[in-house]
Amino acid sequence: MSAVPAPVDRLPTFPWDKLEPYKKTAAAHPDGLVDLSVGTPVDPVPGLVQKALTDAADSPGYPTVWGTPELRDALVSWCERRLGARGLGHPNVLPVVGSKELVAWLPTQLGLGPGDTVAYPRLAYPTYEVGARLARAGHVAYDDPTELDPAGVKLLWLNSPSNPTGRVLAKDELTRIVAWARDHGILVFSDECYIELGWEADPVSVLHPDVNGGSHEGLVTVHSLSKRSNLAGYRAAFLAGDAAVLGDLLQIRKHGGMMTSAPTQAAVVAALGDETHVQEQRARYAARRELLREALTGHGFRIEHSEASLYLWATRDESCWETVAHLAELGILVAPGDFYGEAGERFVRVALTATDERVKAAAARLS
């Protein structure tokens, strides 16, 4: 009897394993490693969030998948206040266990499979493709989604601000894409996890009425507290948009037991209700960004896009792996651009997520 293929057989090689030899080289630097490869927060969790988490620590019962009414209130309020969304209620929001889990399993939860296609940007977070592969669905990368053959495309991923490039889609561009997707009955999921980190552009959500004409039909946005509130360790994210789509996902996630922990739910309420810590964190990233950008350009790099998000998209017009090797000799580890698609083969992604001391060390080495 033949063995049933394991899901892992449908997946590409985990890209970060390829970086290990360069990490060893960088770690051997006399002044130590400066890791600018993975965008993982390094700054403290805000005190009010920690307090909310510990105050909710005595949570012996099961949490609900949909979250507490207080959490849903906080999600709706934030979307209206921060995104300019209108007409949202509890059916329009849904907490999830971190955004990566959602991205990886969304096509499966939507019931996609062979014959269906998932579309995503040509330079993109690799998990969009992983999600399609796990569902046995087809996948296609685009430069402009409206140039795709819409036949068979069931899920269109947008990502603005972009990971890895930091590119922001302008309001008129989003409006055009949303109209095209609706004309062809294509569900749009807009990954907006970096929307609070605009530097040279002000990112706009597809939930803004200027983009969607006042209707959420066919539109869902993905948001995360990992970067704006340093909550990557909490696995705190949520969806907002089309109530019909979220209602179906809620039922599926109930069956799957995909519950955000009760203390995390309380922490999210606190985090979304406070803007002071967000502005403080933005200021930290802005200072690191300015220092790294100046050091990189002084070292012969060219920065493209990078008008938002937590990264600088940099090139020396050579193979990304040559650049990775060069920087590793300086004790600096960055992500090769081809992790995000072949179009990134001459770029590296430089994260702003290192301490002030380590960023200063990288800048000194580059100078």
Side-chain angles (χ1 to χ4, degrees):
M1 183 175 67
S2 61
V4 176
V8 71
D9 295 336
R10 301 198 290 271
L11 301 179
T13 302
F14 189 63
W16 293 96
D17 292 344
K18 301 178 186 176
L19 207 54
E20 281 303 313
Y22 301 92
K23 186 174 185 178
K24 290 180 180 178
T25 298
H29 190 278
D31 186 39
L33 169 69
V34 180
D35 192 344
L36 306 178
S37 62
V38 182
T40 186
V42 297
D43 300 302
V45 173
L48 82 164
V49 178
Q50 294 189 48
K51 184 178 186 303
L53 185 85
T54 56
D55 286 350
D58 186 15
S59 298
Y62 288 111
T64 64
V65 173
W66 199 15
T68 63
E70 293 78 13
L71 174 59
R72 284 176 259 139
D73 282 343
L75 299 180
V76 169
S77 176
W78 183 86
C79 289
E80 292 178 340
R81 186 175 69 251
R82 182 60 186 84
L83 306 180
R86 295 291 178 266
L88 296 181
H90 285 194
N92 300 105
V93 293
L94 179 64
V96 294
V97 191
S99 57
K100 184 169 185 174
E101 168 264 305
L102 181 279
V103 173
W105 293 105
L106 178 65
T108 299
Q109 291 175 15
L110 291 174
L112 304 188
D116 301 321
T117 300
V118 176
Y120 49 81
R122 193 166 303 282
L123 280 166
Y125 185 45
T127 312
Y128 302 137
E129 178 184 340
V130 166
R133 287 177 176 269
L134 285 170
R136 295 188 174 89
H139 52 88
V140 61
Y142 64 78
D143 293 309
D144 178 346
T146 66
E147 295 176 355
L148 292 170
D149 179 354
V153 177
K154 297 296 178 62
L155 172 61
L156 172 63
W157 277 109
L158 302 181
N159 181 207
S160 175
S162 163
N163 175 15
T165 68
R167 181 188 173 207
V168 172
L169 296 176
K171 185 186 292 185
D172 58 350
E173 197 170 0
L174 286 172
T175 303
R176 177 176 61 85
I177 293 169
V178 165
W180 176 85
R182 283 175 164 169
D183 285 345
H184 297 287
I186 297 171
L187 177 61
V188 174
F189 264 68
S190 182
D191 181 345
E192 301 176 354
C193 287
Y194 296 93
I195 200 164
E196 297 212 82
L197 294 169
W199 309 115
E200 296 155 4
D202 187 12
V204 179
S205 172
V206 297
L207 293 188
H208 195 288
D210 288 353
V211 173
N212 60 41
S215 168
H216 310 125
E217 183 180 358
L219 305 175
V220 178
T221 59
V222 183
H223 298 279
S224 169
L225 284 83
S226 292
K227 309 305 193 295
R228 53 98 68 192
S229 299
N230 298 332
L231 297 191
Y234 284 44
R235 308 315 301 131
F238 64 95
L239 307 178
D242 190 326
V245 176
L246 296 188
D248 287 345
L249 287 176
L250 173 61
Q251 296 306 315
I252 291 165
R253 294 173 70 84
K254 282 181 178 180
H255 283 290
M258 295 177 172
M259 300 172 282
T260 303
S261 76
T264 296
Q265 292 186 32
V268 170
V269 173
L272 291 181
D274 178 72
E275 292 299 321
T276 300
H277 78 274
V278 179
Q279 296 308 315
E280 291 172 349
Q281 189 59 45
R282 274 182 55 89
R284 292 187 190 107
Y285 285 137
R288 293 167 187 165
R289 179 179 182 270
E290 183 178 356
L291 194 60
L292 283 171
R293 186 177 191 124
E294 183 177 342
L296 287 165
T297 54
H299 196 75
F301 281 88
R302 186 177 73 255
I303 308 297
E304 291 196 0
H305 299 303
S306 306
E307 58 259 31
S309 84
L310 275 183
Y311 312 104
L312 292 170
W313 189 237
T315 181
R316 298 204 310 170
D317 293 310
E318 64 185 6
S319 162
C320 60
W321 288 101
E322 289 182 39
T323 306
V324 168
H326 168 73
L327 292 176
E329 293 294 336
L330 298 177
I332 302 169
L333 190 68
V334 297
D338 66 3
F339 277 10
Y340 308 95
E342 291 182 5
E345 64 184 1
R346 299 179 73 80
F347 287 80
V348 293
R349 193 194 73 171
V350 183
L352 309 179
T353 49
T355 64
D356 291 344
E357 184 275 329
R358 288 288 84 189
V359 169
K360 289 176 183 176
R365 295 174 197 181
L366 288 165
S367 64

